[in-house]
Amino acid sequence: METPGNLFVVAAPSGAGKSSLVKALLELDSHLKVSISHTTRAPRGQEQHGREYWFVSLDEFQGMVERDEFFEWAEVHGNRYGTSRIGIESRLMSGEDVVLEIDWQGALQIKQLFPYAVLIFILPPSWEELAQRLARRGEDPPEVIAQRMVNARHEVAQARHFNYVIINGLFETALFDLKTVVHSQRLKYAAQRRAKSAVFTALDLG
Ligand code: GDP
Ligand code: ADP
Ligand code: 5GP
C-alpha cells in the first residue's frame, strides 16, 4: 500500500526501554503518532485505558479477532496484544508518521502487510541491566519479571530480522539514535517524493 506517511515498528524485550524511548521521541516530534494497542493484560499502577493501552477482556479481544479488526495480534507473556486497523491507514494516508510499539511476532506480521515499514529493535546493554530495569520499574510481581527475563532470551534472537538495532545503554544516546533513524527514513528519495509531491511536481520530478 502506497502511503505518504512512514510506518515505524519498535520492538524490544520487556524492560529494555522501548516505551520510555518512544514517549520521549513523541514529545520531540509532533509529526509522529503512536498507535494504542489493545491488550488483555491488567493495567499497571499508573496506566490509563486509552492512553497506554485499550484494556479489554479476553472475550472482547476474541470478538475483535473474529471480526478481523486487527492488523496483527500475538500472545506475549501469557496475554494477548493487538494493533487495531482503525486509525493507522487513515493516518498514513493523510501523511502522518505512525509508530507501533509491538512485539517481534507482530513486527514481522506488519512487515508482510507493509513491506516498507521500518523495523527497529531496542537491545538492553546487558542481561544484568535488563533485570535491574525490570526490578527498578517496580510494576510487575517477581514471577512476572522472571518469566519476562526467560522470554527475553528468545526475543533478542529476533533482532536479526529487523532493519535497525539500537542499544539502550545511555538513554540520551539511544534517543538520539532513534531520532536519527526516523529522520533518515523521511529523507529517502521515495519517502520525500510521497511526502512532498507538490515540490516534486513543481520541479518536474513527478
Ligand atoms: P529501502 O531499501 O529501505 O531504501 O527501500 P526501497 O528503496 O524499496 O524504498 C524506498 C523508500 O520508500 C524506503 O524508505 C521505503 O521505506 C519507502 N516506501 C516505499 N513505499 C512506501 C509506502 O507505501 N509507505 C511508506 N510509508 N513508505 C514507503
Ligand atoms: P519497556 O517499554 O521496553 O518494557 P520501559 O520504557 O518501561 O521498558 O523501561 C523499563 C525501565 O527502565 C523503566 O523504569 C525506565 O525508566 C528504565 N530505563 C529505560 N531506559 C533506560 C536507560 N537508558 N538507562 C536506565 N534506565 C532506563
Ligand atoms: P507490556 O505488558 O510490558 O506493556 O508489553 C508486553 C509485550 O507486548 C511487549 O513486548 C510489547 O511490545 C508487546 N505488545 C504491546 N502491544 C502489542 C501489540 O499491539 N501487538 C503485539 N504483537 N505486541 C504488543
Side-chain angles (χ1 to χ4, degrees), residues 18 37 41 44 53 72 74 76 81-83 102-103 148:
K18 167 174 47 66
S37 295
R41 146 165 105 60
R44 295 184 183 128
Y53 284 108
E72 62 78 31
V76 192
Y81 296 84
T83 306
I102 63 177
D103 92 306
R148 286 174 181 233

Side-chain angles (χ1 to χ4, degrees), residues 23 30 76 81-82 129 143 158 169:
K23 185 163 177 278
S30 59
V76 192
Y81 296 84
E129 178 65 20
E143 63 277 13
Q158 309 302 323

Side-chain angles (χ1 to χ4, degrees), residues 45-62:
Q46 300 300 310
E47 287 179 340
Q48 283 177 22
H49 187 64
R51 192 178 63 185
E52 283 79 8
Y53 284 108
W54 298 105
F55 294 98
V56 295
S57 68
L58 190 54
D59 278 353
E60 286 173 283
F61 196 97
Q62 274 315 112

Side-chain angles (χ1 to χ4, degrees), residues 112-182:
Q112 297 295 318
L113 293 172
F114 299 89
Y116 302 111
V118 178
L119 267 50
I120 306 162
F121 202 94
I122 312 287
L123 286 176
S126 67
W127 293 123
E128 292 74 22
E129 178 65 20
L130 184 66
Q132 279 173 22
R133 286 185 194 168
L134 282 169
R136 217 181 309 132
R137 184 167 70 183
E139 296 280 5
D140 300 300
E143 63 277 13
V144 170
I145 290 182
Q147 187 195 13
R148 286 174 181 233
M149 282 301 296
V150 170
N151 295 348
R153 302 256 166 196
H154 181 56
E155 289 165 350
V156 300
Q158 309 302 323
R160 65 199 164 88
H161 300 299
F162 283 60
N163 301 114
Y164 294 94
V165 172
I166 294 175
I167 298 171
N168 183 20
L170 199 61
F171 186 82
E172 291 306 324
T173 305
L175 180 58
F176 177 80
D177 290 344
L178 187 56
K179 275 192 292 188
T180 304
V181 168
V182 169

